[in-house]
Amino acid sequence: ARTSGCLIGGKRVGFPMLVYILSYVTAVAAPLVCKTFRAAYSAPGSWSDIEIKSSQFEARLDGFLGLMARVASRLQVLSMQISFLQQELASAVPRSVKFSNLQRLSLHPQDPGSAATVAQLLAKVCSPTLQSLTCCGMVTTECLEALSGALARVTGTGSFGLQHLTIKWQCVPNVTVVPQAHIQGGVQAAEEDMLDCPGILLTSRDVELLRGIVGCCPSLVSLELSPLRLDAPRKVADDSSPELLADCLTHTQLRRLTFGFLQSAHVRVLSAIPDRSVELDFFACAGIRSHLVAPEEAFSLLTQRLATSVPRVEFVCALHCLEAPFLHEVIRPEMGPLGNTWQGRRDSLTHLILDWVALNQNGVEDLVQALPNLETLHLLRVEYFVDETVQALCSALVMLRELVLGGPNQMMTDNALKILEQGLMRNLEYVEVEKAYLFSSFQLSRIATTASLRSRRFKCNTVTQSSFPDGLSLLQPERIPIFHLSRHVPQPVSD
């Protein structure tokens, strides 16, 4: 009787139509209308898109698994951002749960307990229609093994076409008892805990699994392998990690690549790749100084391997989180013209983010002459910049829309701000600088007012706030609520 339909506005609506209607409804009170509504609301067809956020997921785990037993086979989109309050608790996923119709999967475990649950869920993926997969947070070896096994099974069907893969690792401190000396006024000193932080360690087994995952995805278009925090301590096994970078660079279908674990061992494999042979639409590479001995050499080799048609290039060498407060104002090696690096990219390169490499006046003049069509330029080391350097940038790059000058500088004056103000009045839409010693409050206020009146944006960082490429942000994951479950309401398709 529950599945025979119900009367709505004096007309009987069939059960299949009621299920379809409720798939567009997010009201939690829908099951309380009547028994028919409750049956329709619980039908697999009305749960095609699920988003779960919970910081105490162990309290919701039984209900979630019961729901998955009913709707997993029809689920198209699943997004989970979860953590366990009691990490020792766990529960096995029923054998009946099979994700055979997924299109997008996003998993964000925050602790070992939730990582174990995510690994079990990944083992249940058997969807040949999966197009996008994201796994961020506490990504363990068990998660990678489950993911590798799932992709290997689906690839055997011959119709698998995963196009977007993102894996980001979270650096979590050791869970230990905080000494009483680290507790002041009832507030724990989180900075002290970082001294006991093991960082992110990708073992040889992890690298082997990642290579297998990349190899199982011949249709992969976008790939991102990086830590959630650029300055987090991390280490990749030296024996097999160069082959991982080589597999990524030589993937035939790949168009967007973000690799956030660059270290000195990877430089060796670059010599085996032919010059100008890596065809990409976007390339971002990052590492930390403690594991990258010669960042300038690594940047030069990477750009030589990229094809001249690559329009977006980002290279970041961050300082270790414990070294940054002491080494932020240390002068970097001075770099002059890099003619061979920019050769052949005059008409193609429009987006450039460059960190650690500190260009001098001659280096900047060479850059603007070789790349006059730049639209986005982030130079995060400007200790050798003077007012004339800023003038060369703004006058030569007439297509420039976004300019970021980061890092310490003690030689730019208010004249540089006036030049940037004139740029905001012409072509620039966004300008960001780090406050220099010679900048006056009056000129900073004036350029901010000019930007506001012309609907442009100006930002002056009074503290270190480095800008990093998309997907390589220093921002911590957002704080997740105690529990939140929602269903995405699909939008009607218009003509």
Side-chain angles (χ1 to χ4, degrees), residues 327-378:
L327 300 180
H328 172 63
E329 297 187 0
V330 174
I331 302 299
R332 301 289 185 269
E334 182 178 4
M335 299 295 294
L338 301 174
N340 295 333
T341 302
W342 316 127
Q343 186 177 3
R345 308 184 187 276
R346 180 182 181 89
D347 299 325
S348 59
L349 191 59
T350 60
H351 176 100
L352 177 63
I353 293 180
L354 189 59
D355 190 10
W356 192 268
V357 178
L359 298 176
N360 58 16
Q361 178 74 18
N362 295 332
V364 171
E365 292 177 354
D366 174 71
L367 172 67
V368 298
Q369 291 176 5
L371 305 174
N373 296 323
L374 280 176
E375 299 177 4
T376 301
L377 178 61
H378 293 200

Side-chain angles (χ1 to χ4, degrees), residues 50-57 60 79-82 480-487:
I50 296 179
E51 179 184 6
I52 297 177
K53 295 182 179 180
S54 176
S55 59
Q56 300 178 6
F57 191 64
R60 314 288 178 174
S79 177
M80 299 178 62
Q81 188 174 354
I82 59 176
I480 59 180
I482 294 179
F483 180 71
H484 170 73
L485 186 146
S486 64
R487 298 189 303 173

Side-chain angles (χ1 to χ4, degrees), residues 329 382-385 407-413 435-438:
E329 297 187 0
V382 296
E383 46 262 62
Y384 299 102
F385 274 37
N409 182 279
Q410 304 298 334
M411 294 185 287
M412 289 192 297
T413 66
K435 187 174 182 180
Y437 178 75
L438 298 178

Side-chain angles (χ1 to χ4, degrees), residues 8-204:
I8 300 180
K11 296 182 179 180
R12 180 166 292 279
V13 178
F15 187 78
M17 179 57 69
L18 184 59
V19 171
Y20 176 76
I21 293 174
L22 290 182
S23 67
Y24 287 85
V25 176
T26 58
V28 181
L32 304 179
V33 176
C34 63
K35 294 180 179 180
T36 304
F37 265 63
R38 181 173 183 177
Y41 193 74
S42 303
S46 65
W47 291 84
S48 61
D49 189 333
I50 296 179
E51 179 184 6
I52 297 177
K53 295 182 179 180
S54 176
S55 59
Q56 300 178 6
F57 191 64
E58 66 272 18
R60 314 288 178 174
L61 187 56
D62 292 339
F64 168 77
L65 295 179
L67 177 64
M68 290 297 102
R70 299 195 305 268
V71 307
S73 60
R74 298 288 299 275
L75 199 60
Q76 297 180 2
V77 179
L78 176 61
S79 177
M80 299 178 62
Q81 188 174 354
I82 59 176
S83 63
F84 280 24
L85 187 62
Q86 299 179 5
Q87 300 182 13
E88 66 276 3
L89 296 180
S91 179
V93 178
R95 294 184 58 183
S96 59
V97 175
K98 297 290 182 182
F99 298 103
S100 57
N101 199 36
L102 275 178
Q103 297 180 7
R104 297 196 305 272
L105 178 61
S106 179
L107 302 173
H108 301 259
Q110 305 295 322
D111 51 68
S114 57
T117 302
V118 165
Q120 295 185 53
L121 293 176
L122 285 173
K124 301 296 182 178
V125 175
C126 55
S127 173
T129 60
L130 187 63
Q131 299 180 0
S132 175
L133 193 151
T134 300
C135 191
C136 301
M138 179 68 73
V139 183
T140 62
T141 303
E142 290 73 19
C143 293
L144 296 178
E145 289 176 345
L147 176 59
S148 178
L151 296 182
R153 290 191 301 271
V154 179
T155 305
T157 62
S159 59
F160 183 55
L162 183 66
Q163 298 182 358
H164 307 281
L165 176 62
T166 299
I167 303 178
K168 296 182 180 180
W169 285 262
Q170 176 182 351
C171 181
V172 179
N174 286 335
V175 181
T176 57
V177 178
V178 181
Q180 188 66 28
H182 292 176
I183 303 178
Q184 300 176 358
V187 179
Q188 295 184 1
E191 294 80 1
E192 299 291 342
D193 294 343
M194 292 301 294
L195 295 173
D196 196 29
C197 181
I200 303 170
L201 173 62
L202 296 187
T203 63
S204 299

Side-chain angles (χ1 to χ4, degrees), residues 8 85 92 168 173 225 333-334 348 376 426 442-443 449 458 495:
I8 300 180
L85 187 62
K168 296 182 180 180
L225 304 174
E334 182 178 4
S348 59
T376 301
R426 296 194 304 267
F442 170 77
Q443 190 60 40
T449 302
F458 172 77
D495 295 336

